[in-house]
Amino acid sequence: MIGQVGWGTGADARAPERRIRNPLLPSGPDPWIVRQGDTYFYMNTLGNRLAIRKTKDLARLADADEKTVWTPPAAGPNSISIWAPELHRIGGSWYIYYTAAASGHDDDAHRGIFVLENRRADPTEGVWVDRGRLNTAHNGIDGTTFAHAGKRYFVYSPYVGPDSVLAIAEMSDPWTLKGPESIIARPDLDWERRGGRQILEGPEFLVGPKGDLFLSYSASACWSDDYAIGLLHARPGSDPLDPAIWSKSPRPVIAKAPDRNVYAPGHNGFFTARDGTTWIVYHANPAAGMKCTAKRSPRIQQVRWSSRGLPLFDRPIASDLAISGTGTAR
């Protein structure tokens, strides 16, 4: 069953049920949702700026104002191709991690991950301070961060030879890596090599109810209909920096579903609804052959858990199927 995550509080809680319909927006590549209290914050790739929508009701995300919070400089290392923003609350600040390229050099050799900081309680207010480019060992894209067992980690997709891989490092603060990086996954399966390139990207962290660690990722070229979401797994108590502890699912956990008009699903994130249920947000195309353009749209569905503490992913929800309410948000 799919849980309802769109209910508000107070007067909204007494209103008739509003069902969330996929896609949430007509456009929204690389979507990201995070909840703080009763409020959901949403971001996606816009290419030339960073913007945030906030709402207490995901069913009304399209009605939420899109507020631009940062525009890139006219020149410099982070001035073009602003991709894959992620909004994280760390300590008393908000941070946005995003991918950017240098002016005049829109290519892999000039792409990296940058971070902004905002100390206001509401990330749509106040001033965002540029903390610069993270000191990764390689050029790369799609940075994310997570805390585990008292330490903070950073995972991204660096370019290593002909491949895009997944690498992890510990952080000394939210904008500085420390110690060596470890490559924890390479595109070595057939379904990770579709579209003419060997790609793993868009890593996202998820902790299971029994303490297992999971890292989802997107694989194959984004312009392929076979772009899909895979999963790495580490047992409780493992050291995330040790490549040997990570095992890879042999098949995608979310793949295209032509009978449901869902193609090239990928670049996901996880968030927790107010009722404690776990949800995944990802983008997909509504038809074949649409490649990786702004027509990719954001969709959500609930992640359930097995008795062993492993995540269970349903097939993609059809674009025209309303998500029914079962687990009301409180």
Side-chain angles (χ1 to χ4, degrees), residues 21-234:
R21 189 176 295 275
N22 277 329
L24 298 179
L25 299 170
S27 172
D30 309 332
W32 177 261
I33 295 174
V34 63
R35 180 181 57 83
Q36 178 78 355
D38 289 334
T39 303
Y40 297 93
F41 296 99
Y42 170 89
M43 301 187 76
N44 61 245
T45 288
L46 295 169
N48 60 355
R49 59 192 171 94
L50 297 174
I52 300 174
R53 295 176 188 251
K54 69 174 182 178
T55 183
K56 295 183 183 297
D57 185 349
L58 283 177
R60 293 183 172 177
L61 182 63
D63 298 328
D65 291 336
E66 183 183 81
K67 182 174 181 180
T68 297
V69 296
W70 181 83
T71 54
N78 60 336
S79 61
I80 60 174
S81 294
I82 312 301
W83 298 346
E86 291 194 6
L87 178 65
H88 293 262
R89 184 72 171 173
I90 303 173
S93 294
W94 287 100
Y95 295 89
I96 296 177
Y97 296 84
Y98 66 97
T99 299
S103 52
H105 299 281
D106 195 4
D107 55 58
D108 294 349
H110 295 86
R111 226 177 288 286
I113 299 116
F114 298 78
V115 61
L116 306 169
E117 180 185 11
N118 186 339
R119 296 186 178 181
R120 294 290 292 271
D122 184 338
T124 65
E125 300 175 353
V127 177
W128 286 91
V129 177
D130 189 349
R131 293 298 184 184
R133 179 171 174 166
L134 277 81
N135 56 317
T136 55
H138 305 274
N139 296 317
I141 62 174
D142 295 352
T144 192
T145 183
F146 66 92
H148 175 69
K151 297 180 179 180
R152 179 160 293 278
Y153 299 92
F154 181 78
V155 186
Y156 75 116
S157 174
Y159 305 111
V160 179
D163 298 343
S164 292
V165 302
L166 300 182
I168 188 172
E170 192 176 343
M171 306 186 84
S172 58
D173 59 50
W175 57 87
T176 309
L177 309 186
K178 70 174 184 179
E181 289 184 13
S182 301
I183 295 176
I184 56 176
R186 298 177 183 272
D188 50 14
L189 300 177
D190 176 70
W191 67 269
E192 300 170 332
R193 305 164 71 91
R194 306 291 178 85
R197 286 193 64 178
Q198 306 88 252
I199 294 176
L200 304 186
E201 60 188 15
E204 295 300 342
F205 173 73
L206 180 65
V207 62
K210 297 183 181 295
D212 298 74
L213 306 181
F214 302 94
L215 270 174
S216 64
Y217 62 92
S218 301
S220 290
C222 68
W223 52 84
S224 167
D225 288 340
D226 292 315
Y227 194 59
I229 299 173
L231 194 69
L232 303 179
H233 173 216

Side-chain angles (χ1 to χ4, degrees), residues 6-25:
W7 282 21
T9 58
D12 285 346
R14 296 188 297 270
E17 179 181 336
R18 294 181 295 272
R19 297 195 299 174
I20 297 172
R21 189 176 295 275
N22 277 329
L24 298 179
L25 299 170

Side-chain angles (χ1 to χ4, degrees), residues 239-270:
D239 177 5
L241 296 174
D242 181 1
I245 61 97
W246 294 101
S247 60
K248 183 188 291 186
S249 173
R251 295 176 298 277
V253 293
I254 295 182
K256 68 180 180 182
D259 61 315
R260 298 186 173 186
N261 299 317
V262 177
Y263 296 83
H267 203 103
N268 74 279
F270 297 101

